[in-house]
Amino acid sequence: MLPDTGLLYFYEVVKQGSVRLAAAHLHISASAISRMIKKVEHRFRAPLFERRPDGMVLTPAGAVLAQHLAGVFAQIRDAESEIAELQGLRRGEISVHCADAAVQELAPQFLSQFH
């Protein structure tokens, strides 16, 4: 995937909003994520997060990096999808929105049949 695990950890913190949640999602320790983010900050010679009691907030430099990484991950997902199509597998994403409570109750059954 990415050559630098620190970038993956950084992006997971961006998505999750905190080191603790990112650690739980990645099944690693919060201290490991913190160390890797420090290395990434050293690499870019800029703080990427403001560390606050209520969570991590991106600095302007962190926002730039996060935006570029979002593009990289989107390209990787596109490549995975194209490769799956070459192998005859059909994949994609759908969004279902239910405005009516009755329809909302039937949605899980419908989706399981659709799958």
Side-chain angles (χ1 to χ4, degrees):
M1 188 178 250
L2 289 174
D4 188 336
T5 306
L7 294 175
L8 174 66
Y9 292 0
F10 164 80
Y11 194 65
E12 193 62 33
V13 172
V14 170
K15 290 190 313 185
Q16 300 296 328
S18 77
V19 171
R20 183 184 55 77
L21 291 174
H25 188 257
L26 294 171
H27 306 290
I28 59 172
S29 71
S31 61
I33 289 181
S34 292
R35 281 192 306 273
M36 291 301 279
I37 288 175
K38 286 285 188 191
K39 287 182 180 182
V40 174
E41 288 177 326
H42 180 75
R43 173 182 174 184
F44 287 98
R45 295 184 176 93
L48 301 174
F49 288 106
E50 289 180 30
R51 288 146 176 89
R52 297 182 181 171
D54 59 337
M56 306 283 274
V57 177
L58 286 171
T59 63
V64 168
L65 181 57
Q67 181 180 9
H68 284 279
L69 287 176
V72 168
F73 283 113
Q75 289 177 339
I76 290 170
R77 283 191 304 274
D78 290 346
E80 289 171 341
S81 192
E82 288 178 34
I83 291 168
E85 285 180 21
L86 289 174
Q87 297 169 340
L89 302 174
R90 290 303 218 168
R91 294 185 182 178
E93 294 181 18
I94 61 169
S95 296
V96 178
H97 301 274
C98 300
D100 187 332
V103 174
Q104 199 170 18
E105 290 177 18
L106 296 174
Q109 179 184 358
F110 169 77
L111 291 175
S112 67
Q113 291 173 353
F114 177 77
H115 183 266

